[in-house]
Amino acid sequence: MSAPVVLHLNNENALTPRSRFTGAFRRLQADGHLHHVPTAPRALLHNGPRAALAALREVVLDARPDVVFVQSPHGFPFTEQDVAQLLRSAGSPTVVYQEGDAWGGNKQLPASSRAWLRAADAVFSVAAGAQLAMLANIAGRPVRYVPHTLPLDCFPEQDCPAPPGEGAVFDVVTIGNSVMRARLLPRLPGARERAQVVRGLGQLDCRLGVFGAGWHGPHARGPLPFERQIAVLRCARMSAGWDHYGRYPGYFSDRLPISGAAGRVHVGQARPGLEWLPGTADGLHLVSAPRDVAQRVRELLATEQAVLDAAGERLRRWVRARLTDLQSLQFMLGEFLALPAPPADPWKQIAAWREGPA
């Protein structure tokens, strides 16, 4: 019997060996569990939407997929009619939708996402609470929580322990754009708190590197290419950060697993539903208020570097074994394909989520 075909609708501008989920699909295909057909609809738009849809339809007809894995379909002008026609031409395969962004406030879910949500057989979201309810209302079915994970093959450093933190260029690095606007409300929930974190870190007597667009001042280092994140994190003794959408249970951006995979102690934002993550003994320090980030970093700066390095290495091993795109795909597609199950720790707890943590 031939392996089932999974058509992967990637949401990037171009497909590369480092595209999200591609490394995980590559491993599952190498083990004979499935046949992976990746395509990036946004990359087809250079000749216009109609031509792009025609090209995508050819991919669908050629693949004849058993499952369509739709990855946050933003940036392509899908309509419900487009989606229905594509799925009919494919023989009405199972559709699994993964929403890898948080939405709300001034950032509203686009129509293209709504079109795929209404066609999906299973929906997963990286943010719980109000976002699960919103997506469920659109999809007309329950939505399950799935956390952000480490993209495999994006960072060549992730499989090796970090070099000792002694002699690092920075004491602490933080990565994330500033989206504050002068005299106006922040564009995204949590933007103000992120600015407070950066100001607090700047008041410490330490070597601080602030990477991302929109920052100014002596610590600002400018935008950072995605694939350079782990390399830069390893130039510091530790890392710190603050995510948007702090009111969504279970949500954290992919910078948490990326920071963990860097093999450095990380200070981040606590919120309900993250009890399944490692704790301080394993290098992950989650605090409840922006002002607490600088205080925790201050305490860690006084810790012997060898102790920090050992904790950071435990965190790296945990992330690499339990929180990658491979485990995420096993979790999301396991109901429809014969795939190995992800580790019970932590995925059994993750599976217990509905509208919030069990």
Side-chain angles (χ1 to χ4, degrees), residues 6-26 36-45 56 59-60 67-78 96-98 100-101 112 116 151-152 154 226 325 329:
V6 178
L7 176 64
H8 173 198
L9 297 189
N10 183 283
N11 69 345
E12 299 176 23
N13 290 322
L15 284 173
T16 74
R18 293 184 176 185
S19 294
R20 193 177 297 273
F21 291 108
T22 299
F25 272 120
R26 187 182 301 119
H36 178 221
V37 180
T39 186
R42 290 169 63 177
L44 304 173
L45 281 171
L56 184 58
V59 174
V60 169
V67 174
V68 178
F69 178 67
V70 183
Q71 180 193 340
S72 302
H74 324 311
F76 190 98
F78 288 111
V96 177
Y97 179 112
Q98 185 261 358
D101 288 311
S112 57
W116 278 104
L152 291 169
C154 286
F226 181 77
D325 284 356
L329 283 182

Side-chain angles (χ1 to χ4, degrees), residues 44-263:
L44 304 173
L45 281 171
H46 56 278
N47 289 325
R50 291 299 100 190
L53 274 171
L56 184 58
R57 191 171 295 112
E58 289 300 316
V59 174
V60 169
L61 288 171
D62 185 59
R64 300 294 295 180
D66 300 284
V67 174
V68 178
F69 178 67
V70 183
Q71 180 193 340
S72 302
H74 324 311
F76 190 98
F78 288 111
T79 66
E80 289 192 44
Q81 183 179 11
D82 296 333
V83 171
Q85 290 176 347
L86 283 170
L87 294 176
R88 279 198 301 270
S89 66
S92 301
T94 298
V95 176
V96 177
Y97 179 112
Q98 185 261 358
E99 183 48 68
D101 288 311
W103 298 90
N106 294 338
K107 182 185 173 190
Q108 294 299 306
L109 192 72
S112 57
S113 301
R114 295 172 180 269
W116 278 104
L117 280 166
R118 293 188 176 105
D121 297 286
V123 180
F124 296 86
S125 167
V126 296
Q131 174 145 318
L132 279 189
M134 174 192 70
L135 297 177
N137 184 58
I138 298 169
R141 64 180 63 252
V143 176
R144 298 175 66 185
Y145 166 72
V146 62
H148 263 302
T149 49
L150 174 72
L152 291 169
D153 299 341
C154 286
F155 310 99
E157 308 92 345
Q158 65 190 21
D159 291 329
C160 302
E166 197 70 39
V169 176
F170 301 102
D171 291 308
V172 59
V173 156
T174 183
I175 301 173
N177 298 332
S178 172
V179 295
M180 292 289 292
R181 294 179 293 178
R183 301 180 183 176
L184 295 175
L185 292 175
R187 293 178 183 174
L188 296 177
R192 193 185 308 279
E193 290 83 357
R194 178 179 289 181
Q196 291 172 355
V197 166
V198 171
R199 283 197 299 271
L201 293 172
Q203 293 169 3
L204 298 177
D205 183 19
C206 72
R207 298 165 299 164
L208 171 64
V210 179
F211 291 84
W215 299 108
H216 304 282
H219 306 296
R221 297 294 186 271
L224 179 66
F226 181 77
E227 65 275 8
R228 288 277 300 153
Q229 289 191 28
I230 286 185
V232 167
L233 289 164
R234 288 186 170 186
C235 291
R237 296 178 61 198
M238 66 191 71
S239 64
W242 195 265
D243 284 319
H244 297 128
Y245 295 96
R247 295 184 179 181
Y248 287 168
Y251 177 70
F252 51 81
S253 76
D254 58 6
R255 289 194 183 91
L256 189 151
I258 291 170
S259 296

Side-chain angles (χ1 to χ4, degrees), residues 1 24 51 54 60 72 142 196 206 222 225 248 260 294 296 300-301 307 319 321 344 352:
M1 175 182 285
V60 169
S72 302
Q196 291 172 355
C206 72
Y248 287 168
R296 184 61 56 88
L300 291 170
L301 288 172
V307 174
V319 169

